[in-house]
Amino acid sequence: MMMANPFVIGAVLFAVVYGLIVAFPYMYKDNGSTHLEFEEDTVVRREKNRWLGDLHHFASHDDCRFDDINLFRMVGKDTIHLEEVILTNHDNVIVLRKGFGDTKIIVPVDVAVSLKVNSMYGQLIFFEQPIRDLRNESISLVTSDFKRSNKSVKVVIANLVGNIEVVRK
């Protein structure tokens, strides 16, 4: 009596067709092995973290090429001289996590900057803009020509106490 119902017959036909559609790729699948190739030309560059003291990045550098900066510092004054290196495109990144101390970044005139700062206590000087007091807050600043500039740098700074200064030279 149930098989005489057209809805039951439709549901059974739908289940059979759906099962065939789902199972079709598995029935005729070639069980071949996958061969993965990895590049063996991996360049490893290790650098010890200097937790204390003053650092001048790129001040006297033999290589003019920019390498991304990723630093963790406890105490000290950092100065990053970007006018001494060649910035070529938009994937230049500086990440600085710091406890205490001032940070100064010197940027060439033709380089656009995106700055993200997270600070507990300090002041932010971004080019010729007014000085901003940072009290347990995050702030993002982007120069107006960042999207259309040929050269740019992204700077991310997280510090507890210290002033941050971004200037052109």
PDB file of all heavy atoms in Angstrom, residues 42-73:
ATOM      1  N   THR A  42      66.216  26.140   0.501  1.00  0.00           N
ATOM      2  CA  THR A  42      65.741  26.951   1.604  1.00  0.00           C
ATOM      3  C   THR A  42      66.921  27.670   2.247  1.00  0.00           C
ATOM      4  O   THR A  42      67.916  27.057   2.611  1.00  0.00           O
ATOM      5  CB  THR A  42      65.048  26.069   2.655  1.00  0.00           C
ATOM      6  OG1 THR A  42      63.996  25.360   2.023  1.00  0.00           O
ATOM      7  CG2 THR A  42      64.505  26.899   3.782  1.00  0.00           C
ATOM      8  N   VAL A  43      66.780  28.976   2.367  1.00  0.00           N
ATOM      9  CA  VAL A  43      67.825  29.790   2.967  1.00  0.00           C
ATOM     10  C   VAL A  43      67.446  30.049   4.421  1.00  0.00           C
ATOM     11  O   VAL A  43      66.364  30.552   4.707  1.00  0.00           O
ATOM     12  CB  VAL A  43      67.984  31.127   2.212  1.00  0.00           C
ATOM     13  CG1 VAL A  43      69.029  31.984   2.888  1.00  0.00           C
ATOM     14  CG2 VAL A  43      68.341  30.865   0.764  1.00  0.00           C
ATOM     15  N   VAL A  44      68.332  29.684   5.311  1.00  0.00           N
ATOM     16  CA  VAL A  44      68.086  29.883   6.736  1.00  0.00           C
ATOM     17  C   VAL A  44      69.013  30.988   7.224  1.00  0.00           C
ATOM     18  O   VAL A  44      70.230  30.927   7.048  1.00  0.00           O
ATOM     19  CB  VAL A  44      68.349  28.578   7.529  1.00  0.00           C
ATOM     20  CG1 VAL A  44      68.165  28.824   9.013  1.00  0.00           C
ATOM     21  CG2 VAL A  44      67.436  27.483   7.039  1.00  0.00           C
ATOM     22  N   ARG A  45      68.424  31.992   7.816  1.00  0.00           N
ATOM     23  CA  ARG A  45      69.207  33.095   8.376  1.00  0.00           C
ATOM     24  C   ARG A  45      68.791  33.266   9.826  1.00  0.00           C
ATOM     25  O   ARG A  45      67.646  33.585  10.115  1.00  0.00           O
ATOM     26  CB  ARG A  45      68.916  34.373   7.601  1.00  0.00           C
ATOM     27  CG  ARG A  45      69.817  35.488   7.994  1.00  0.00           C
ATOM     28  CD  ARG A  45      69.608  36.694   7.092  1.00  0.00           C
ATOM     29  NE  ARG A  45      69.836  37.858   7.898  1.00  0.00           N
ATOM     30  CZ  ARG A  45      69.050  38.890   7.981  1.00  0.00           C
ATOM     31  NH1 ARG A  45      67.971  38.935   7.259  1.00  0.00           N
ATOM     32  NH2 ARG A  45      69.325  39.904   8.761  1.00  0.00           N
ATOM     33  N   ARG A  46      69.706  33.003  10.719  1.00  0.00           N
ATOM     34  CA  ARG A  46      69.417  33.082  12.152  1.00  0.00           C
ATOM     35  C   ARG A  46      70.096  34.304  12.727  1.00  0.00           C
ATOM     36  O   ARG A  46      71.204  34.652  12.361  1.00  0.00           O
ATOM     37  CB  ARG A  46      69.910  31.825  12.855  1.00  0.00           C
ATOM     38  CG  ARG A  46      69.202  30.584  12.348  1.00  0.00           C
ATOM     39  CD  ARG A  46      69.736  29.386  13.015  1.00  0.00           C
ATOM     40  NE  ARG A  46      69.152  29.321  14.347  1.00  0.00           N
ATOM     41  CZ  ARG A  46      69.250  28.289  15.131  1.00  0.00           C
ATOM     42  NH1 ARG A  46      69.926  27.234  14.761  1.00  0.00           N
ATOM     43  NH2 ARG A  46      68.685  28.281  16.310  1.00  0.00           N
ATOM     44  N   GLU A  47      69.395  34.903  13.668  1.00  0.00           N
ATOM     45  CA  GLU A  47      69.928  36.091  14.318  1.00  0.00           C
ATOM     46  C   GLU A  47      69.487  36.062  15.778  1.00  0.00           C
ATOM     47  O   GLU A  47      68.313  35.838  16.075  1.00  0.00           O
ATOM     48  CB  GLU A  47      69.382  37.336  13.616  1.00  0.00           C
ATOM     49  CG  GLU A  47      69.953  38.616  14.112  1.00  0.00           C
ATOM     50  CD  GLU A  47      69.413  39.789  13.298  1.00  0.00           C
ATOM     51  OE1 GLU A  47      69.089  39.612  12.117  1.00  0.00           O
ATOM     52  OE2 GLU A  47      69.328  40.883  13.883  1.00  0.00           O
ATOM     53  N   LYS A  48      70.404  36.253  16.671  1.00  0.00           N
ATOM     54  CA  LYS A  48      70.080  36.268  18.100  1.00  0.00           C
ATOM     55  C   LYS A  48      69.368  37.563  18.463  1.00  0.00           C
ATOM     56  O   LYS A  48      69.665  38.629  17.941  1.00  0.00           O
ATOM     57  CB  LYS A  48      71.359  36.161  18.942  1.00  0.00           C
ATOM     58  CG  LYS A  48      72.038  34.820  18.838  1.00  0.00           C
ATOM     59  CD  LYS A  48      71.365  33.845  19.730  1.00  0.00           C
ATOM     60  CE  LYS A  48      72.143  32.554  19.766  1.00  0.00           C
ATOM     61  NZ  LYS A  48      71.506  31.553  20.532  1.00  0.00           N
ATOM     62  N   ASN A  49      68.401  37.461  19.358  1.00  0.00           N
ATOM     63  CA  ASN A  49      67.715  38.644  19.860  1.00  0.00           C
ATOM     64  C   ASN A  49      68.594  39.340  20.881  1.00  0.00           C
ATOM     65  O   ASN A  49      69.111  38.708  21.796  1.00  0.00           O
ATOM     66  CB  ASN A  49      66.387  38.262  20.524  1.00  0.00           C
ATOM     67  CG  ASN A  49      65.326  37.920  19.522  1.00  0.00           C
ATOM     68  OD1 ASN A  49      65.316  38.459  18.429  1.00  0.00           O
ATOM     69  ND2 ASN A  49      64.440  37.027  19.893  1.00  0.00           N
ATOM     70  N   ARG A  50      68.759  40.637  20.717  1.00  0.00           N
ATOM     71  CA  ARG A  50      69.429  41.446  21.727  1.00  0.00           C
ATOM     72  C   ARG A  50      68.351  42.106  22.555  1.00  0.00           C
ATOM     73  O   ARG A  50      67.650  42.990  22.092  1.00  0.00           O
ATOM     74  CB  ARG A  50      70.316  42.492  21.056  1.00  0.00           C
ATOM     75  CG  ARG A  50      71.548  41.880  20.434  1.00  0.00           C
ATOM     76  CD  ARG A  50      72.493  42.911  19.882  1.00  0.00           C
ATOM     77  NE  ARG A  50      72.746  43.971  20.836  1.00  0.00           N
ATOM     78  CZ  ARG A  50      73.296  45.133  20.500  1.00  0.00           C
ATOM     79  NH1 ARG A  50      73.658  45.363  19.263  1.00  0.00           N
ATOM     80  NH2 ARG A  50      73.495  46.066  21.404  1.00  0.00           N
ATOM     81  N   TRP A  51      68.204  41.652  23.782  1.00  0.00           N
ATOM     82  CA  TRP A  51      67.121  42.127  24.625  1.00  0.00           C
ATOM     83  C   TRP A  51      67.396  43.495  25.228  1.00  0.00           C
ATOM     84  O   TRP A  51      66.483  44.233  25.527  1.00  0.00           O
ATOM     85  CB  TRP A  51      66.863  41.129  25.741  1.00  0.00           C
ATOM     86  CG  TRP A  51      66.219  39.870  25.283  1.00  0.00           C
ATOM     87  CD1 TRP A  51      66.265  39.323  24.040  1.00  0.00           C
ATOM     88  CD2 TRP A  51      65.411  39.017  26.053  1.00  0.00           C
ATOM     89  NE1 TRP A  51      65.548  38.170  23.999  1.00  0.00           N
ATOM     90  CE2 TRP A  51      65.019  37.953  25.234  1.00  0.00           C
ATOM     91  CE3 TRP A  51      64.996  39.026  27.367  1.00  0.00           C
ATOM     92  CZ2 TRP A  51      64.207  36.929  25.681  1.00  0.00           C
ATOM     93  CZ3 TRP A  51      64.192  37.992  27.811  1.00  0.00           C
ATOM     94  CH2 TRP A  51      63.805  36.965  26.969  1.00  0.00           C
ATOM     95  N   LEU A  52      68.647  43.820  25.465  1.00  0.00           N
ATOM     96  CA  LEU A  52      69.003  45.060  26.149  1.00  0.00           C
ATOM     97  C   LEU A  52      69.923  45.898  25.277  1.00  0.00           C
ATOM     98  O   LEU A  52      70.677  45.377  24.462  1.00  0.00           O
ATOM     99  CB  LEU A  52      69.711  44.748  27.471  1.00  0.00           C
ATOM    100  CG  LEU A  52      68.981  43.808  28.437  1.00  0.00           C
ATOM    101  CD1 LEU A  52      69.882  43.456  29.588  1.00  0.00           C
ATOM    102  CD2 LEU A  52      67.712  44.441  28.930  1.00  0.00           C
ATOM    103  N   GLY A  53      69.868  47.213  25.473  1.00  0.00           N
ATOM    104  CA  GLY A  53      70.790  48.104  24.782  1.00  0.00           C
ATOM    105  C   GLY A  53      70.152  48.798  23.595  1.00  0.00           C
ATOM    106  O   GLY A  53      69.042  48.516  23.187  1.00  0.00           O
ATOM    107  N   ASP A  54      70.924  49.736  23.043  1.00  0.00           N
ATOM    108  CA  ASP A  54      70.460  50.519  21.906  1.00  0.00           C
ATOM    109  C   ASP A  54      70.853  49.834  20.613  1.00  0.00           C
ATOM    110  O   ASP A  54      71.950  49.292  20.496  1.00  0.00           O
ATOM    111  CB  ASP A  54      71.067  51.920  21.948  1.00  0.00           C
ATOM    112  CG  ASP A  54      70.643  52.690  23.194  1.00  0.00           C
ATOM    113  OD1 ASP A  54      69.636  52.301  23.804  1.00  0.00           O
ATOM    114  OD2 ASP A  54      71.311  53.676  23.540  1.00  0.00           O
ATOM    115  N   LEU A  55      69.963  49.867  19.630  1.00  0.00           N
ATOM    116  CA  LEU A  55      70.222  49.260  18.324  1.00  0.00           C
ATOM    117  C   LEU A  55      69.960  50.274  17.220  1.00  0.00           C
ATOM    118  O   LEU A  55      69.026  51.053  17.288  1.00  0.00           O
ATOM    119  CB  LEU A  55      69.315  48.055  18.086  1.00  0.00           C
ATOM    120  CG  LEU A  55      69.619  46.786  18.848  1.00  0.00           C
ATOM    121  CD1 LEU A  55      68.604  45.716  18.490  1.00  0.00           C
ATOM    122  CD2 LEU A  55      71.004  46.282  18.543  1.00  0.00           C
ATOM    123  N   HIS A  56      70.816  50.234  16.197  1.00  0.00           N
ATOM    124  CA  HIS A  56      70.632  51.026  14.985  1.00  0.00           C
ATOM    125  C   HIS A  56      70.553  50.049  13.828  1.00  0.00           C
ATOM    126  O   HIS A  56      71.551  49.468  13.430  1.00  0.00           O
ATOM    127  CB  HIS A  56      71.792  52.004  14.785  1.00  0.00           C
ATOM    128  CG  HIS A  56      71.824  53.091  15.802  1.00  0.00           C
ATOM    129  ND1 HIS A  56      71.102  54.240  15.668  1.00  0.00           N
ATOM    130  CD2 HIS A  56      72.463  53.180  16.992  1.00  0.00           C
ATOM    131  CE1 HIS A  56      71.308  55.009  16.718  1.00  0.00           C
ATOM    132  NE2 HIS A  56      72.127  54.382  17.538  1.00  0.00           N
ATOM    133  N   HIS A  57      69.364  49.848  13.293  1.00  0.00           N
ATOM    134  CA  HIS A  57      69.158  48.898  12.206  1.00  0.00           C
ATOM    135  C   HIS A  57      69.440  49.573  10.879  1.00  0.00           C
ATOM    136  O   HIS A  57      68.962  50.668  10.623  1.00  0.00           O
ATOM    137  CB  HIS A  57      67.731  48.365  12.226  1.00  0.00           C
ATOM    138  CG  HIS A  57      67.365  47.749  13.532  1.00  0.00           C
ATOM    139  ND1 HIS A  57      67.781  46.498  13.892  1.00  0.00           N
ATOM    140  CD2 HIS A  57      66.652  48.226  14.568  1.00  0.00           C
ATOM    141  CE1 HIS A  57      67.325  46.223  15.095  1.00  0.00           C
ATOM    142  NE2 HIS A  57      66.642  47.261  15.527  1.00  0.00           N
ATOM    143  N   PHE A  58      70.196  48.910  10.034  1.00  0.00           N
ATOM    144  CA  PHE A  58      70.555  49.361   8.697  1.00  0.00           C
ATOM    145  C   PHE A  58      71.423  50.617   8.709  1.00  0.00           C
ATOM    146  O   PHE A  58      71.549  51.277   7.697  1.00  0.00           O
ATOM    147  CB  PHE A  58      69.319  49.637   7.822  1.00  0.00           C
ATOM    148  CG  PHE A  58      68.410  48.469   7.672  1.00  0.00           C
ATOM    149  CD1 PHE A  58      67.087  48.556   8.043  1.00  0.00           C
ATOM    150  CD2 PHE A  58      68.875  47.281   7.155  1.00  0.00           C
ATOM    151  CE1 PHE A  58      66.237  47.481   7.897  1.00  0.00           C
ATOM    152  CE2 PHE A  58      68.034  46.189   7.013  1.00  0.00           C
ATOM    153  CZ  PHE A  58      66.720  46.297   7.386  1.00  0.00           C
ATOM    154  N   ALA A  59      72.022  51.011   9.825  1.00  0.00           N
ATOM    155  CA  ALA A  59      72.839  52.219   9.867  1.00  0.00           C
ATOM    156  C   ALA A  59      74.124  52.033   9.064  1.00  0.00           C
ATOM    157  O   ALA A  59      74.493  52.869   8.264  1.00  0.00           O
ATOM    158  CB  ALA A  59      73.159  52.596  11.301  1.00  0.00           C
ATOM    159  N   SER A  60      74.820  50.949   9.274  1.00  0.00           N
ATOM    160  CA  SER A  60      76.024  50.651   8.486  1.00  0.00           C
ATOM    161  C   SER A  60      75.887  49.219   8.002  1.00  0.00           C
ATOM    162  O   SER A  60      76.289  48.275   8.656  1.00  0.00           O
ATOM    163  CB  SER A  60      77.271  50.814   9.348  1.00  0.00           C
ATOM    164  OG  SER A  60      77.203  49.945  10.452  1.00  0.00           O
ATOM    165  N   HIS A  61      75.278  49.072   6.863  1.00  0.00           N
ATOM    166  CA  HIS A  61      74.933  47.755   6.350  1.00  0.00           C
ATOM    167  C   HIS A  61      75.629  47.556   5.026  1.00  0.00           C
ATOM    168  O   HIS A  61      75.599  48.421   4.161  1.00  0.00           O
ATOM    169  CB  HIS A  61      73.404  47.689   6.190  1.00  0.00           C
ATOM    170  CG  HIS A  61      72.829  46.354   6.494  1.00  0.00           C
ATOM    171  ND1 HIS A  61      72.571  45.455   5.520  1.00  0.00           N
ATOM    172  CD2 HIS A  61      72.471  45.769   7.659  1.00  0.00           C
ATOM    173  CE1 HIS A  61      72.052  44.365   6.063  1.00  0.00           C
ATOM    174  NE2 HIS A  61      71.992  44.540   7.368  1.00  0.00           N
ATOM    175  N   ASP A  62      76.292  46.423   4.839  1.00  0.00           N
ATOM    176  CA  ASP A  62      76.966  46.143   3.573  1.00  0.00           C
ATOM    177  C   ASP A  62      75.966  45.828   2.471  1.00  0.00           C
ATOM    178  O   ASP A  62      76.155  46.188   1.319  1.00  0.00           O
ATOM    179  CB  ASP A  62      77.934  44.961   3.740  1.00  0.00           C
ATOM    180  CG  ASP A  62      79.072  45.298   4.696  1.00  0.00           C
ATOM    181  OD1 ASP A  62      79.392  46.494   4.820  1.00  0.00           O
ATOM    182  OD2 ASP A  62      79.602  44.368   5.303  1.00  0.00           O
ATOM    183  N   ASP A  63      74.899  45.145   2.810  1.00  0.00           N
ATOM    184  CA  ASP A  63      73.883  44.764   1.839  1.00  0.00           C
ATOM    185  C   ASP A  63      72.814  45.850   1.801  1.00  0.00           C
ATOM    186  O   ASP A  63      72.237  46.197   2.824  1.00  0.00           O
ATOM    187  CB  ASP A  63      73.267  43.416   2.238  1.00  0.00           C
ATOM    188  CG  ASP A  63      72.371  42.857   1.163  1.00  0.00           C
ATOM    189  OD1 ASP A  63      72.446  43.341   0.021  1.00  0.00           O
ATOM    190  OD2 ASP A  63      71.611  41.920   1.464  1.00  0.00           O
ATOM    191  N   CYS A  64      72.513  46.376   0.640  1.00  0.00           N
ATOM    192  CA  CYS A  64      71.541  47.467   0.508  1.00  0.00           C
ATOM    193  C   CYS A  64      70.112  46.973   0.399  1.00  0.00           C
ATOM    194  O   CYS A  64      69.187  47.765   0.368  1.00  0.00           O
ATOM    195  CB  CYS A  64      71.879  48.311  -0.720  1.00  0.00           C
ATOM    196  SG  CYS A  64      73.400  49.215  -0.538  1.00  0.00           S
ATOM    197  N   ARG A  65      69.915  45.671   0.334  1.00  0.00           N
ATOM    198  CA  ARG A  65      68.581  45.107   0.184  1.00  0.00           C
ATOM    199  C   ARG A  65      67.853  45.095   1.532  1.00  0.00           C
ATOM    200  O   ARG A  65      68.430  44.779   2.554  1.00  0.00           O
ATOM    201  CB  ARG A  65      68.699  43.689  -0.365  1.00  0.00           C
ATOM    202  CG  ARG A  65      67.444  43.199  -1.019  1.00  0.00           C
ATOM    203  CD  ARG A  65      67.649  41.790  -1.577  1.00  0.00           C
ATOM    204  NE  ARG A  65      67.198  40.846  -0.564  1.00  0.00           N
ATOM    205  CZ  ARG A  65      67.984  40.033   0.128  1.00  0.00           C
ATOM    206  NH1 ARG A  65      69.277  40.021  -0.075  1.00  0.00           N
ATOM    207  NH2 ARG A  65      67.485  39.224   1.022  1.00  0.00           N
ATOM    208  N   PHE A  66      66.569  45.406   1.507  1.00  0.00           N
ATOM    209  CA  PHE A  66      65.777  45.410   2.733  1.00  0.00           C
ATOM    210  C   PHE A  66      65.322  43.995   3.062  1.00  0.00           C
ATOM    211  O   PHE A  66      64.802  43.280   2.218  1.00  0.00           O
ATOM    212  CB  PHE A  66      64.546  46.309   2.561  1.00  0.00           C
ATOM    213  CG  PHE A  66      63.650  46.331   3.763  1.00  0.00           C
ATOM    214  CD1 PHE A  66      63.952  47.125   4.844  1.00  0.00           C
ATOM    215  CD2 PHE A  66      62.509  45.550   3.823  1.00  0.00           C
ATOM    216  CE1 PHE A  66      63.127  47.148   5.961  1.00  0.00           C
ATOM    217  CE2 PHE A  66      61.677  45.564   4.923  1.00  0.00           C
ATOM    218  CZ  PHE A  66      61.998  46.367   5.990  1.00  0.00           C
ATOM    219  N   ASP A  67      65.527  43.577   4.285  1.00  0.00           N
ATOM    220  CA  ASP A  67      64.968  42.339   4.810  1.00  0.00           C
ATOM    221  C   ASP A  67      63.981  42.717   5.906  1.00  0.00           C
ATOM    222  O   ASP A  67      64.241  43.623   6.695  1.00  0.00           O
ATOM    223  CB  ASP A  67      66.066  41.439   5.394  1.00  0.00           C
ATOM    224  CG  ASP A  67      66.897  40.789   4.317  1.00  0.00           C
ATOM    225  OD1 ASP A  67      66.361  40.521   3.230  1.00  0.00           O
ATOM    226  OD2 ASP A  67      68.094  40.550   4.560  1.00  0.00           O
ATOM    227  N   ASP A  68      62.873  42.011   5.952  1.00  0.00           N
ATOM    228  CA  ASP A  68      61.871  42.303   6.967  1.00  0.00           C
ATOM    229  C   ASP A  68      62.484  42.230   8.356  1.00  0.00           C
ATOM    230  O   ASP A  68      63.363  41.413   8.631  1.00  0.00           O
ATOM    231  CB  ASP A  68      60.705  41.324   6.874  1.00  0.00           C
ATOM    232  CG  ASP A  68      59.904  41.507   5.597  1.00  0.00           C
ATOM    233  OD1 ASP A  68      60.046  42.559   4.964  1.00  0.00           O
ATOM    234  OD2 ASP A  68      59.141  40.596   5.257  1.00  0.00           O
ATOM    235  N   ILE A  69      62.000  43.093   9.233  1.00  0.00           N
ATOM    236  CA  ILE A  69      62.503  43.145  10.608  1.00  0.00           C
ATOM    237  C   ILE A  69      61.431  42.580  11.522  1.00  0.00           C
ATOM    238  O   ILE A  69      60.276  42.998  11.467  1.00  0.00           O
ATOM    239  CB  ILE A  69      62.845  44.586  11.023  1.00  0.00           C
ATOM    240  CG1 ILE A  69      63.945  45.147  10.130  1.00  0.00           C
ATOM    241  CG2 ILE A  69      63.266  44.637  12.477  1.00  0.00           C
ATOM    242  CD1 ILE A  69      64.231  46.611  10.390  1.00  0.00           C
ATOM    243  N   ASN A  70      61.820  41.632  12.365  1.00  0.00           N
ATOM    244  CA  ASN A  70      60.930  41.042  13.351  1.00  0.00           C
ATOM    245  C   ASN A  70      61.719  40.963  14.650  1.00  0.00           C
ATOM    246  O   ASN A  70      62.539  40.066  14.824  1.00  0.00           O
ATOM    247  CB  ASN A  70      60.456  39.666  12.895  1.00  0.00           C
ATOM    248  CG  ASN A  70      59.455  39.060  13.832  1.00  0.00           C
ATOM    249  OD1 ASN A  70      59.011  39.692  14.781  1.00  0.00           O
ATOM    250  ND2 ASN A  70      59.104  37.826  13.575  1.00  0.00           N
ATOM    251  N   LEU A  71      61.487  41.906  15.563  1.00  0.00           N
ATOM    252  CA  LEU A  71      62.289  42.007  16.775  1.00  0.00           C
ATOM    253  C   LEU A  71      61.445  41.865  18.032  1.00  0.00           C
ATOM    254  O   LEU A  71      60.288  42.280  18.070  1.00  0.00           O
ATOM    255  CB  LEU A  71      62.985  43.370  16.834  1.00  0.00           C
ATOM    256  CG  LEU A  71      64.076  43.644  15.826  1.00  0.00           C
ATOM    257  CD1 LEU A  71      64.563  45.057  15.985  1.00  0.00           C
ATOM    258  CD2 LEU A  71      65.209  42.671  15.998  1.00  0.00           C
ATOM    259  N   PHE A  72      62.080  41.306  19.042  1.00  0.00           N
ATOM    260  CA  PHE A  72      61.523  41.265  20.388  1.00  0.00           C
ATOM    261  C   PHE A  72      62.578  41.862  21.304  1.00  0.00           C
ATOM    262  O   PHE A  72      63.694  41.356  21.378  1.00  0.00           O
ATOM    263  CB  PHE A  72      61.195  39.831  20.803  1.00  0.00           C
ATOM    264  CG  PHE A  72      60.694  39.744  22.216  1.00  0.00           C
ATOM    265  CD1 PHE A  72      59.425  40.161  22.522  1.00  0.00           C
ATOM    266  CD2 PHE A  72      61.512  39.278  23.223  1.00  0.00           C
ATOM    267  CE1 PHE A  72      58.962  40.092  23.821  1.00  0.00           C
ATOM    268  CE2 PHE A  72      61.055  39.215  24.526  1.00  0.00           C
ATOM    269  CZ  PHE A  72      59.775  39.621  24.824  1.00  0.00           C
ATOM    270  N   ARG A  73      62.241  42.953  21.976  1.00  0.00           N
ATOM    271  CA  ARG A  73      63.214  43.657  22.809  1.00  0.00           C
ATOM    272  C   ARG A  73      62.609  43.930  24.187  1.00  0.00           C
ATOM    273  O   ARG A  73      61.412  44.168  24.301  1.00  0.00           O
ATOM    274  CB  ARG A  73      63.576  44.989  22.173  1.00  0.00           C
ATOM    275  CG  ARG A  73      64.065  44.887  20.767  1.00  0.00           C
ATOM    276  CD  ARG A  73      65.536  44.968  20.621  1.00  0.00           C
ATOM    277  NE  ARG A  73      65.967  46.270  21.043  1.00  0.00           N
ATOM    278  CZ  ARG A  73      67.042  46.486  21.758  1.00  0.00           C
ATOM    279  NH1 ARG A  73      67.797  45.490  22.124  1.00  0.00           N
ATOM    280  NH2 ARG A  73      67.399  47.689  22.124  1.00  0.00           N
TER     281      ARG A  73
END
